[in-house]
Amino acid sequence: MKLSDLRPAPGSHKPDRRIGRGHGSGRGKTAGRGTKGQKARTGAKIHRAFNGGQTRLSKRLPFLRGLGNSNYAFRKDYTIVNLDALERFEVGSLVTPAEFAAVGLMSKTESQGLVKILGDGELDHALTVRAHKFSASAREKIEASGGTIELIPTKVHKKTKRRKDEAKKAPATQDANE
């Protein structure tokens, strides 16, 4: 075998298309671009969302704000702590989110947010546990071991809008008092 005998595998090397080289090339006249139209012209770049002149899908979909729980401002993210993590605290101690952060169960910023206690694991000794939420199994296990639960109240914002019929009643009650 000589170097001059080397050839590529059959079918692996395909000759380039020579476009616009007359009828003999097999791609004469319109050079594979079809007839007329935007895509037949040079420099044709059409946006990928272009829908043939019909209003594109992104414009047809409704514009909705604050869908469900996906809006971060209204979402309640709880940092989860299981019962087996509470074993490291001493008997009869008060356990708060700040203590969780001090022991390393969560970061300091997580301890300033919402905390939920789940009932995974067992608790042998009595503790007073403060958190924003408790699962039913965690509540049972803490109370069964002689401990107590303290719920940390979450902020509840008052409604600022008033009903129309309340606005009509309010002036009438003020006149009666005077």
Side-chain angles (χ1 to χ4, degrees):
M1 170 166 277
K2 296 175 188 167
L3 198 59
S4 60
D5 293 340
L6 291 176
R7 295 276 179 269
S12 68
H13 183 73
K14 198 173 176 184
D16 292 339
R17 269 187 198 154
R18 297 190 71 225
I19 296 171
R21 296 291 187 276
H23 291 288
S25 69
R27 295 205 164 261
K29 194 175 172 258
T30 54
R33 287 173 175 257
T35 312
K36 299 182 180 176
Q38 188 177 7
K39 289 170 134 182
R41 316 294 187 210
T42 55
K45 288 187 179 80
I46 300 172
H47 192 270
R48 62 185 162 164
F50 184 68
N51 217 351
Q54 176 176 322
T55 308
R56 64 181 187 257
L57 181 68
S58 58
K59 289 262 190 184
R60 280 181 278 154
L61 292 174
F63 179 73
L64 299 174
R65 298 164 126 192
L67 275 173
N69 203 14
S70 63
N71 193 335
Y72 185 74
F74 301 106
R75 190 183 333 162
K76 292 183 179 176
D77 287 331
Y78 286 89
T79 304
I80 292 170
V81 177
N82 283 309
L83 273 185
D84 55 2
L86 299 180
E87 283 291 326
R88 60 180 74 184
F89 294 101
E90 295 177 16
V91 179
S93 61
L94 174 68
V95 183
T96 62
E99 269 78 44
F100 292 139
V103 173
L105 288 173
M106 63 179 72
S107 67
K108 189 176 178 183
T109 53
E110 285 175 334
S111 69
Q112 292 169 353
L114 301 172
V115 178
K116 183 171 183 176
I117 309 294
L118 298 183
D120 190 19
E122 294 297 325
L123 190 63
D124 299 340
H125 52 276
L127 291 174
T128 303
V129 185
R130 295 192 79 208
H132 298 90
K133 250 186 184 180
F134 293 88
S135 68
S137 60
R139 187 180 296 258
E140 287 174 15
K141 290 177 182 178
I142 291 171
E143 289 172 351
S145 67
T148 56
I149 285 173
E150 292 180 13
L151 283 172
I152 301 172
T154 55
K155 288 183 182 178
V156 178
H157 300 285
K158 292 181 180 179
K159 292 185 178 179
T160 55
K161 292 187 178 180
R162 303 283 184 258
R163 287 177 41 181
K164 290 180 182 175
D165 56 347
E166 285 181 11
K168 290 178 185 175
K169 289 180 186 176
T173 56
Q174 287 176 352
D175 291 338
N177 292 339
E178 291 176 0

